[in-house]
């Protein structure tokens, strides 16, 4: 038994006796009490009534606060929470290399070395949702891009439920209006045949607006703070649901939500910069752009929407 079990036992609001819990888990009543005390130190309000414990309040954030809201099959089964980290992706990669199960997640309130793509910096002040999920779907490296597409679609779904209207900018940005509210960084390790693990990093400006041009936060968009623990649970649920879907559904939904397709864009690749009209993404997630010199197909690049 651990404190999370106590949260899960108490979360429907009923009074549960310490001795019933002790019996169910085969531990002493004193052990149950210690878990209750540690949850109280985390900010859980747990009332001791004559007939047992009752959960009256959940802290704003943390592994057990997310667990309180969680109803997934595997994503978030184990949540490693830190107030401050360098990068949740780096920790999740370490965990994956050390054989962490599929669905293992790392979550932080603040990152000091948050990473974007290609070594860029991701500003991660306190108040955001910075999390990374270890996944082990059976995919070849060639098929890997579907995980990034599924992740951005999942974020968009979870934000819809909050009432924020979002779109996806190729390849991996989630925008509110034309400002970035979330970035996705998917990393994986593979041999020629198979990916051994993915780390899906999600960076959401929830209640913290970073000082970056073109960035917004959910708080700014909605005019009030969001419940980060509930949002994190919703993200995990949406990610799990979309990963389970056929590739074609994911692509279709990505296209439906895309604000890039049909737009004039400026694309920056490792070799050059060009402009044109974005026409489609293909099954591998590559962007097709119609330029004056003909069609260009790009896989790894940055894309800017032009007016
Ligand atoms: C991304 O990179 O958009 C991927 C960001 C992934 C962050 C998550 S947080 C949890 C996990 N742990 C990590 O260390 N990373 C992941 P990219 O497309 O390269 O965008 C980076 C660019 O976005 C920067 O160069 C800035 O211009 C801008 N930017 C930086 N911080 C931002 C923020 N908080 N919100 C919006 N834009 C930001």
């Amino acid at each position: 038994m651990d404190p999370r079990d106590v949260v899960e036992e108490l979360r429907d609001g009923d009074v549960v006796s310490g001795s019933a819990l002790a019996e169910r888990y085969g531990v002493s009543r004193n052990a149950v009490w210690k878990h209750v005390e540690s949850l109280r130190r985390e900010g859980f309000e747990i009332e001791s009534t004559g007939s047992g414990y009752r959960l009256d309040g959940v802290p704003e954030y943390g592994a057990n606060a997310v667990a309180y809201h969680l109803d997934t099959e595997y994503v978030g089964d184990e949540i490693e929470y830190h107030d401050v980290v360098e990068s949740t992706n780096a920790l999740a990669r370490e965990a994956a290399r050390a054989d962490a199960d599929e669905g293992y997640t790392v979550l932080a309130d603040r990152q000091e070395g948050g990473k974007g793509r290609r070594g860029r910096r991701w500003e991660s002040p306190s108040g955001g949702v910075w999390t990374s999920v270890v996944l082990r779907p059976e995919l070849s490296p060639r098929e890997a891009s579907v995980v990034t597409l599924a992740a951005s679609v999942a974020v968009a779904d979870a934000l819809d439920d909050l009432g924020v209207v979002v779109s996806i900018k190729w390849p991996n940005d989630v925008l509110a209006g034309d400002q970035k509210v979330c970035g996705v960084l998917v990393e994986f390790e593979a041999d020629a045949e198979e990916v051994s693990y993915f780390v899906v990093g999600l960076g959401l400006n929830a209640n913290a607006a970073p000082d970056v041009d073109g960035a917004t936060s959910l708080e700014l968009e909605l005019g009030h703070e969001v419940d980060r623990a509930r949002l994190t649970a919703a993200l995990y649920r949406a990610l799990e649901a979309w990963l389970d879907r056929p590739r074609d559904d994911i692509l279709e939904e990505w296209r439906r939500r895309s604000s890039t397709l049909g737009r004039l864009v400026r694309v920056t690749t490792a070799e050059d910069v060009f402009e044109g009209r974005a026409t489609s993404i293909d099954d591998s997630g590559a962007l097709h752009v119609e330029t004056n010199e003909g069609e260009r197909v790009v896989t790894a690049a940055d894309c800017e929407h032009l007016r």
Side-chain angles (χ1 to χ4, degrees), residues 59-248:
E60 197 262 327
Y61 209 37
N64 290 317
V66 173
Y68 173 81
H69 294 286
L70 201 60
D71 61 354
T72 50
E73 295 282 327
Y74 61 90
V75 174
D77 262 4
E78 207 174 326
I79 303 172
E80 176 189 329
Y81 175 80
H82 302 271
D83 289 329
V84 187
V85 293
E86 272 296 299
S87 155
T88 57
N89 260 42
L91 288 179
R93 286 181 73 137
E94 263 174 43
R97 278 194 211 111
D99 270 348
D101 285 336
E102 169 152 82
Y104 184 95
T105 73
V106 182
L107 178 69
D109 175 49
R110 184 158 69 82
Q111 295 185 117
E112 290 182 332
K115 288 186 300 180
R117 292 177 305 139
R118 303 160 195 217
R120 283 190 288 241
R121 197 178 151 72
W122 183 256
E123 297 298 330
S124 316
S126 171
V129 171
W130 323 120
T131 190
S132 302
V133 181
V134 175
L135 296 170
R136 301 183 184 280
E138 284 176 19
L139 292 175
S140 70
R142 225 167 22 82
E143 298 166 315
S145 64
V146 75
V147 174
T148 307
L149 301 175
S152 36
V153 164
V155 170
D157 259 11
L159 295 187
D160 259 4
D161 290 343
L162 281 180
V164 187
V165 180
V166 293
S167 70
I168 303 174
K169 179 162 89 71
W170 187 87
N172 64 346
D173 294 352
V174 179
L175 307 182
D178 55 6
Q179 294 189 299
K180 185 157 166 174
V181 73
C182 174
V184 179
L185 176 66
V186 175
E187 300 180 287
F188 61 88
E189 201 156 284
D191 57 26
E193 309 282 288
E194 207 186 7
V195 175
S196 58
Y197 68 80
F198 287 88
V199 166
V200 175
L202 306 176
L204 268 111
N205 303 323
N207 301 324
D211 190 11
V212 178
D213 266 0
T216 187
S217 71
L218 296 174
E219 186 184 12
L220 283 174
E221 295 300 314
L222 290 166
H224 59 79
E225 289 200 348
V226 296
D227 180 336
R228 287 190 295 166
R230 189 189 290 275
L231 172 61
T232 306
L235 286 169
Y236 291 171
R237 187 181 319 115
L239 186 62
E240 188 177 283
W242 276 102
L243 285 164
D244 218 27
R245 300 278 287 268
R247 185 186 187 86
D248 283 353

